[in-house]
Amino acid sequence: MIPAGKNMSERKFHYSVLFTRTEQQTKALHILSEAFPAGRGRVFLPMREYYRRDRKENDTKPLFPGYLFVYSDMDRQELHEFLAGQREKIPSFLRELGLGRKELSGEPDWENENAVADLTDDECRFLDLMLDEKGIQRLSAGYRENSGNIVVMEGPLREFAQKIVRVDRHERLAYLNLRFREFDVMAGLEIKPKKHYFPDDENAPAVLSDGTEVDIQELKKRMTEG
């Protein structure tokens, strides 16, 4: 996630987190994005691409409902002042996470060493690897080995394949042994036949017209044993 015009040598961009009502998150995002200073970064709502079975097409939904992210070179005080100037336009509360208890009186607790609104290095890495330039976690794709292991060939899950603990092939969804704040992480994953990626591999399962995979080598073995 790198905003247009970012110059690493001149500025240090970082993530901060805001929280608002889920039913007003899109409105809040629009208002903040319209007012955000040009060249200083962006406000975004992370989205997850998923397969809609009712429409038989891909769609998107919020990855972390209610949470808006700011990627900017503003320090915490400058960002706080910017947000304070936009609050009256937003039809919901807007909380700056991690600023300390004095935020309730309208002042962030700058002296509180725990008043850190920025994300951790691991959380930043997760966002950088999982989201594209539009803030969307795209659908990944791969195949299942005979051993049951999932091999991710396309998409952001390539970086987190070892974290996959369960796959719902019907819903094209992978569950990861990974948490982001209080959220259990899920990601879109389409399981394709291994033949799709390795058409010349004789050991790859064959695919019937209904999509069923057949392990040819195992079938030959059973026929020989019979």
Side-chain angles (χ1 to χ4, degrees):
M1 286 279 315
I2 300 178
K6 175 181 174 181
N7 188 327
M8 293 285 290
S9 64
E10 295 178 3
R11 303 175 182 146
K12 183 179 179 180
F13 281 71
H14 56 97
Y15 291 101
S16 299
V17 189
L18 312 175
F19 181 64
T20 189
R21 297 186 188 279
T22 55
E23 62 269 23
Q24 296 294 341
Q25 60 192 5
T26 303
K27 180 69 172 178
L29 173 65
H30 177 74
I31 291 172
L32 295 177
S33 295
E34 285 288 309
F36 211 79
R40 302 298 304 276
R42 63 180 298 196
V43 184
F44 65 99
L45 174 64
M47 304 293 286
R48 175 170 67 84
E49 187 176 38
Y50 72 105
Y51 180 69
R52 288 196 58 162
R53 300 191 61 81
D54 57 339
R55 296 182 181 177
K56 296 184 179 180
E57 63 182 14
N58 293 342
D59 201 348
T60 58
K61 64 173 64 174
L63 185 59
F64 309 118
Y67 288 83
L68 300 179
F69 289 72
V70 180
Y71 190 59
S72 172
D73 64 342
M74 294 183 185
D75 61 32
R76 291 198 272 290
Q77 184 168 3
E78 184 180 6
L79 178 60
H80 174 75
E81 291 173 353
F82 164 74
L83 295 171
Q86 305 303 317
R87 277 191 166 88
E88 291 185 358
K89 306 174 188 177
I90 299 173
S92 174
F93 68 85
L94 185 68
R95 185 184 306 159
E96 299 167 62
L97 299 190
L99 288 183
R101 293 185 178 277
K102 286 187 180 179
E103 69 174 340
L104 298 177
S105 65
E107 283 186 32
D109 187 359
W110 307 117
E111 303 303 321
N112 182 352
E113 64 180 4
N114 295 318
V116 179
D118 294 347
L119 301 183
T120 66
D121 289 343
D122 285 343
E123 290 170 336
C124 290
R125 178 176 181 273
F126 172 84
L127 293 179
D128 287 338
L129 294 176
M130 270 290 195
L131 306 181
D132 67 9
E133 67 280 358
K134 294 182 179 180
I136 300 175
Q137 180 201 78
R138 296 294 180 182
L139 198 69
S140 296
Y143 65 92
R144 188 189 299 273
E145 291 277 22
N146 293 336
S147 63
N149 291 333
I150 301 297
V151 179
V152 181
M153 300 293 289
E154 309 167 61
L157 270 182
R158 285 178 298 179
E159 301 289 341
F160 298 92
Q162 73 281 3
K163 296 288 186 179
I164 298 174
V165 294
R166 184 166 68 89
V167 173
D168 186 331
R169 186 167 183 170
H170 185 71
E171 296 295 334
R172 302 185 185 183
L173 186 63
Y175 296 84
L176 280 64
N177 181 23
L178 185 65
R179 289 182 65 82
F180 189 96
R181 301 290 168 116
E182 74 271 26
F183 293 95
D184 291 318
V185 176
M186 298 181 292
L189 175 64
E190 180 181 2
I191 299 297
K192 298 180 179 181
K194 188 175 181 179
K195 282 283 188 182
H196 176 82
Y197 297 103
F198 304 101
D200 298 327
D201 185 353
E202 294 182 358
N203 294 319
V207 184
L208 303 182
S209 59
D210 63 356
T212 303
E213 294 185 12
V214 179
D215 188 331
I216 298 298
Q217 300 304 317
E218 180 65 22
L219 182 60
K220 287 180 179 179
K221 181 180 177 181
R222 290 184 180 183
M223 291 177 67
T224 302
E225 293 176 349

